[in-house]
Structures are given as structure tokens and as C-alpha cells.
Amino acid sequence: MTAGLHVAEGIDLPLELVTSSNGILAKKGAGKTTAAVVLLEEMHQAGVPVVVVDPKGDWYGVRTSADGRSPGLPIPVLGGRHGDIPLDATAGELVADQLVDRQLSAILDVSEFTKAEQRRFLRAFGDRFYRRADRTPTHFILEECHEYLPQQVRGENAALVETWQRIVKQGRFKGLGVTMASQRSAAVNKDVLTQIDNLFVLRTTAPQDRDAIKAWIDIHADSKTILAELPTLQTGECWLWQPERGEPIKFRFRRRRTFDAGTTPRVGEVATSPVRTTLADVDLDAIAAAITPRTETNGDNDTHLRAENARLRRELAAAAATPARETIIEIPAPTPVDPATIDTLRRAIADLSAVVDQLANPTTPAPTPAPAPRAARTAPTTKEKNPSTADRPTMSRSDGDAPALRSGAQRMVLALGRMAPLRLTKSQWGTIARLKTSGGTWSTYLSDIRRAGLLDETPAGYTLTDVGFEYLGGRPDPLSPLELQDHYRAVLRRGAATMLDALIDAYPRSLTKEELGAAAEITTTGGTFSTYLSDLTRNGLAHKTATGIIATDILIHGAQLNQTISPSV
């Protein structure tokens, strides 16, 4: 890694900028994007992953040298007209997982998204990346941040601003830094902008933008002289405030080494076709496959599924009502409806309901497919061998001896297998399987699993029988503490996951309600805090003590043999 970030002749900024919160403010054409690209080039040379949010669609130029004739930086471009891989607005979490797991730099070109699609993608991406961050230094560059982190926060923007405000405020301890760049200083959300550690200001002329800058630098330096200079700065020239490092400094950013695809075309000028570098060390096909959202619709659209669901419900209602009509009109009873037919209809409705719910809430990750079932041995027939499944009928088989389970039931079995040897309560099981435990769908799937002889249930909770583990292809390794923590972060609601992180960081010390609320930035007097705390205690992740609230031992030490998660009293 280099000793510093060489941004100008005689100016080497410290590598700590990678995990700091920075701002680049300037009017259009003053060199703002070039300044951000220079930071990217220096951080990339230092071996730091950098993720750029590009709402303009011109950052693809970093893949080419400045003259457009040779390769530039080997950074994949996701989305946009010049992307290596298409980007779906619903794939925010999938993209975050790939970048975290592979420790990759990337350009996220969101220029082809609508405003609503940008909000959806960036919120899911930012939230997932923050939760998954593993203290590997990573830097975000948020180009034209006023477009998605505006000063005027309306209902549709609130969740997005909250997500990135959290990264700016708390990302450093997870290794995350942010550089926010904007040509409209007055339009950037002030709750985010005031959190920055280092401020780069280039040429600025609009009074409202200079006022926004003045509000920040008044705290840190004598602003009169500097503000007076801002309208006359040369392109690329800037003032840099680093309050923790002394007086402001003035310098001019060096030229960028990569192609500037955002220059304004001149009349009669022939557009340059830049030569982009190949990505020999990046498996684009694997990334493309991983970030493509999947559904279980098999090509059927939402309208068709809803119509089919409604038709089956009408048939079930008619079948169930038949005996009552016979009695009322006093006619000879027809041949009774076959109970197996009614059971088949109930199962079909349960499957369709699960798919419709998935379509109605596309932000919810698609169900994790169960491993391909292996041939399972015949269920035990004696109570001495397996008391929990003895004398139970075995479900019909569709593939040799493998149980014929629907996707929802497979998800429930997989949830128990992943948490073994822990016994789960009904509530915990539903949370991990991402299924509601009330209603007919859960009951139908539960009946299927019982009939297949896969379920071992006692007053202490649920786990799998030997047949259940064979269905999964064997007993999975117990979850490590980090795996268990990451698993719950993924399935809990965001607020509950934030509280969970605070309790993990404090362990073995307990937190008072006020301390927990402050750490999670959630008011303790409202119903939201109580709801999230209930999520944690109900799932055995936290419990109350005489001194406050503490993470349970199992969350810290992992799934060891013969341990169980017990719900809080």
C-alpha cells in the first residue's frame, strides 16, 4: 500500500481518509468529479475497495486511460448504458453481498433508474452492506448525492437518508468511509453533511450554496477570507478543511489518469471511443448470475397467479359449504366430497399464497431453495428408536424415498437443519424460515413435515429427526457465533437488527433501555422500540436482567451441542 493519497503536487493526504466521511462541494464545471476520481485512483492504488454510486452514467470512463487509447482501472461497471452487467432495481442486497464477499470495487450506474428505483436500490444496498461489513476498509463515493440524500426529506426519502446517515455516522468502526460530492451544496441533507470529517470546496458562486458551506466552516475556521475566494478559484483548485489536522490548506488537484467521459461535447467534435480494460481477475458471469433476482413464478405473471388463487379459494369454499346447503334445502345428500380433494385444494392455495406474498413484497429475499433431497431411510417404527416420530404415518414420496415437500415446507426443514442442534420455539422457527406462524399456510406445511417423519418436537421446541437430517443430505455443522449473528441480522427487521448489533458490541455488559435506544437511534418511549425488543427476546437473542438488557450467551458463543435457545420470560 502507498504511504498516502497523492492528490496534488506536494500534497499527500493520509490514508485515514479511506474510513473518514468527506465532502466535495463545487459548482458545475469546477472539477468536482475529477477530484472524486483522483481519490478513487489513489485509493485503488492503495488496494482499497471503492464503490461509486453514479447517477449521471459517466463514471465508466475510469476503465480507460486519460487519452482513451489504453486500459484504465479494472473496476466492473454494474448497470447503465456502458455497464459490464445489467443492474436490477430490486437487487440491492444481492449486489451488496457480492461486493462484501469478493471485496470488490465497483461502479453502480443508477442513471437508467427512475427516482423511485434509485431510492429502492440504494436503501437496500446501503443497509445490507452496513450489516455485512466485516471491518475491511471500504470507501463509498456518492456522486451528485443531493439527488438521493436531499435536504427536504419527505416520506419516500426518509428511509434512504436514514440508511446512509447511519453509514456516515457509524461506518468508521466497521471500516466504511464515505465521500459525498455535490454541485448543489444547499440541497444536500444537512444531518448527513454536518457529519463529515474533511471538506473539499472548489469554485462556488451561488449565495445559497456558499451559505451552506459557511455553516460548516464557521465552526472550524475563520471563514471570511476563504468564502470570499470561492467564486474565483480555478478549475480543480480547492480549499480543504481537516479540523483535526490543523489549518485549512489550498491546492489544485492533479489531472486524472483515467478517461473523462463526462466532458461536454463540442460542436463538430468527433466523439472518442475509449478502449476499456478487460477484467481478467473478475468473474463477471458469476457476479451476473449472483445479482440477478430470482422468483419461483416459472414464467407466470402476478395477475395469473392471483386469478388462479381466487379460483381455488372459490372451489374450496363451495366444497366446504356443500353439506350446509343440502340440509337447508332438504334434498338427498350427494356423494360426499372426497377429503383428499379438499386437502389437495388447501395445499394448492397455500403454495399460491406464498408466491403471491413474495410478489407483493419483492424486497423480501426469495426463499432459499432446499438442497436436493437424498434417498432417506424408512422412518423409525418403534418408540424406543425415536419416540418423537414413532407410529407416525410417512408422507407419500415423489422421488424414490425422498419426501414430496413444497418449497415453503422445504424452507422450514432447512431452517431447523441450519440451527441444529438448537431446538427452536414456534416463533423462532417462523422468523428464521420467513413465514408467518398464524394462518393455514404454516399449519399445512407443518402437517406435511410431521407426516414425512422429519420433525422432532418436545415441550422444549422443534428440531429434525434423523430422517429429517437425511432429507437435507446430512447434519450441517453447528453455526459459529459470527454465522449465527449474521443469520439473525438477515432475518430480523432492520431496527431489531440494529439493536442486536448494539447488544453484541456491549456484551458481556448489559445496556439500559436508554443506552440501547441511543445506540440504535430509536426512541424508547414509542411502540417501535418495544416491538423490536420483543423480536429479540421472543427469539432468545436477548433477555432482561436486574441491570438492563443483555445478549444471550448462545448468540455470542454459537450453537454448541446440547444447548438450546430459550425464549425470554
Side-chain angles (χ1 to χ4, degrees):
M1 296 182 69
T2 62
L5 307 178
H6 182 68
V7 297
E9 183 66 30
I11 302 295
D12 291 321
L13 301 180
L15 282 175
E16 283 76 7
L17 259 73
V18 168
T19 52
S20 299
S21 298
N22 313 308
I24 302 178
L25 304 178
K27 75 179 295 291
K28 185 177 181 180
K32 166 183 56 65
T33 298
T34 292
V37 169
V38 168
L39 290 180
L40 165 67
E41 292 171 351
E42 291 296 318
M43 290 180 186
H44 183 272
Q45 185 174 341
V48 175
V50 181
V51 180
V52 179
V53 176
D54 176 18
K56 299 188 301 180
D58 58 13
W59 273 73
Y60 70 92
V62 303
R63 289 281 301 280
T64 307
S65 65
D67 61 7
R69 298 176 182 177
S70 58
L73 302 180
I75 297 177
V77 180
L78 311 185
R81 295 184 179 183
H82 302 275
D84 300 298
I85 301 173
L87 193 60
D88 191 285
T90 66
E93 292 186 343
L94 299 176
V95 173
D97 285 339
Q98 284 297 298
L99 298 188
V100 171
D101 292 342
R102 297 171 182 264
Q103 296 186 15
L104 285 178
S105 294
I107 308 298
L108 305 182
D109 187 336
V110 297
S111 60
E112 298 296 301
F113 287 167
T114 65
K115 294 298 183 185
E117 288 173 334
Q118 282 188 12
R119 288 194 297 270
R120 178 178 185 175
F121 176 85
L122 293 176
R123 179 193 176 189
F125 172 81
D127 184 68
R128 184 70 163 194
F129 205 108
Y130 179 85
R131 294 193 194 184
R132 291 288 317 280
D134 58 359
R135 300 183 66 82
T136 298
T138 303
H139 198 79
F140 297 105
I141 296 178
L142 308 183
E143 177 71 287
E144 301 296 356
C145 63
H146 60 271
E147 293 190 6
Y148 41 93
L149 298 177
Q151 169 62 12
Q152 299 296 327
V153 181
R154 298 180 176 85
E156 66 271 18
N157 292 321
L160 175 60
V161 172
E162 178 187 351
T163 293
W164 285 94
Q165 186 177 20
R166 182 186 185 193
I167 293 174
V168 172
K169 283 184 175 181
Q170 304 176 20
R172 177 177 292 184
F173 86 97
K174 286 198 168 191
L176 305 180
V178 180
T179 293
M180 295 169 284
S182 175
Q183 59 180 280
R184 296 181 57 196
S185 308
V188 181
N189 183 267
K190 297 304 177 290
D191 288 339
V192 178
L193 187 61
T194 55
Q195 300 300 318
I196 62 179
D197 305 306
N198 309 288
L199 180 65
F200 300 84
V201 181
L202 291 84
R203 185 168 65 250
T204 305
T205 57
Q208 65 271 25
D209 291 334
R210 294 171 65 194
D211 287 344
I213 295 169
K214 182 178 185 297
W216 193 89
I217 65 176
D218 267 347
I219 304 173
H220 305 293
D222 179 8
S223 61
K224 293 181 180 179
T225 302
I226 297 172
L227 287 170
E229 282 192 26
L230 294 185
T232 60
L233 291 176
Q234 299 298 307
T235 299
E237 193 174 24
C238 81
W239 276 99
L240 167 60
W241 283 268
Q242 295 178 292
E244 296 181 1
R245 295 182 178 274
E247 293 299 316
I249 59 174
K250 182 181 178 181
F251 63 88
R252 188 170 186 172
F253 275 95
R254 64 165 176 78
R255 291 180 179 273
R256 56 188 289 173
R257 303 187 184 106
T258 52
F259 185 76
D260 186 355
T263 55
T264 302
R266 298 177 180 177
V267 177
E269 183 180 54
V270 178
T272 303
S273 298
V275 177
R276 293 168 60 177
T277 181
T278 58
L279 297 176
D281 296 330
V282 180
D283 190 344
L284 292 176
D285 290 339
I287 297 175
I291 68 173
T292 301
R294 293 175 174 81
T295 64
E296 297 182 328
T297 60
N298 295 323
D300 291 335
N301 58 35
D302 191 9
T303 302
H304 173 74
L305 287 170
R306 291 182 184 278
E308 183 68 5
N309 192 11
R311 183 186 67 79
L312 290 170
R313 287 184 182 278
R314 288 195 299 271
E315 289 186 17
L316 179 60
T322 298
R325 289 199 304 271
E326 293 163 4
T327 302
I328 293 173
I329 62 178
E330 298 181 351
I331 62 173
T335 303
V337 177
D338 183 2
T341 299
I342 296 178
D343 188 53
T344 299
L345 289 171
R346 285 197 178 101
R347 296 173 193 279
I349 288 172
D351 281 347
L352 283 169
S353 295
V355 174
V356 170
D357 288 344
Q358 175 69 26
L359 289 171
N361 184 17
T363 59
T364 301
T368 304
R374 299 197 313 189
R377 65 171 183 269
T378 306
T381 56
T382 64
K383 294 183 179 180
E384 291 75 18
K385 188 170 184 180
N386 193 333
S388 64
T389 57
D391 303 325
R392 241 179 230 159
T394 302
M395 186 178 178
S396 61
R397 311 279 171 160
S398 63
D399 180 16
D401 289 332
L405 297 181
R406 272 88 44 96
S407 61
Q410 290 177 3
R411 214 154 82 229
M412 292 169 64
V413 173
L414 184 62
L416 291 181
R418 292 184 65 188
M419 298 300 286
L422 306 177
R423 286 186 179 272
L424 304 181
T425 66
K426 181 179 178 180
S427 176
Q428 292 164 354
W429 192 7
T431 298
I432 296 169
R434 291 192 179 96
L435 288 172
K436 294 181 179 179
T437 58
S438 59
T441 301
W442 175 271
S443 298
T444 299
Y445 291 161
L446 183 60
S447 297
D448 290 349
I449 297 170
R450 281 174 172 154
R451 280 196 298 272
L454 309 182
L455 189 62
D456 179 355
E457 51 187 315
T458 70
Y462 302 89
T463 188
L464 295 180
T465 62
D466 290 341
V467 176
F469 287 112
E470 283 202 36
Y471 176 78
L472 294 179
R475 291 179 178 268
D477 293 332
L479 292 178
S480 70
L482 288 179
E483 290 173 331
L484 188 62
Q485 293 166 14
D486 283 344
H487 183 70
Y488 271 106
R489 287 189 186 101
V491 299
L492 288 171
R493 289 178 283 191
R494 183 172 60 173
T498 303
M499 292 169 62
L500 183 71
D501 284 337
L503 291 174
I504 291 173
D505 292 341
Y507 187 88
R509 184 173 63 87
S510 63
L511 298 178
T512 65
K513 284 181 59 176
E514 291 71 22
E515 289 174 330
L516 181 56
E521 297 184 333
I522 298 174
T523 303
T524 60
T525 56
T528 302
F529 180 87
S530 298
T531 299
Y532 291 158
L533 181 58
S534 177
D535 287 347
L536 300 182
T537 56
R538 188 177 66 249
N539 285 285
L541 305 176
H543 62 85
K544 299 176 182 177
T545 68
T547 58
I549 303 160
I550 189 172
T552 54
D553 292 339
I554 191 64
L555 183 63
I556 304 301
H557 301 300
Q560 303 299 323
L561 290 174
N562 301 321
Q563 287 186 311
T564 60
I565 297 180
S566 300
S568 177
V569 178

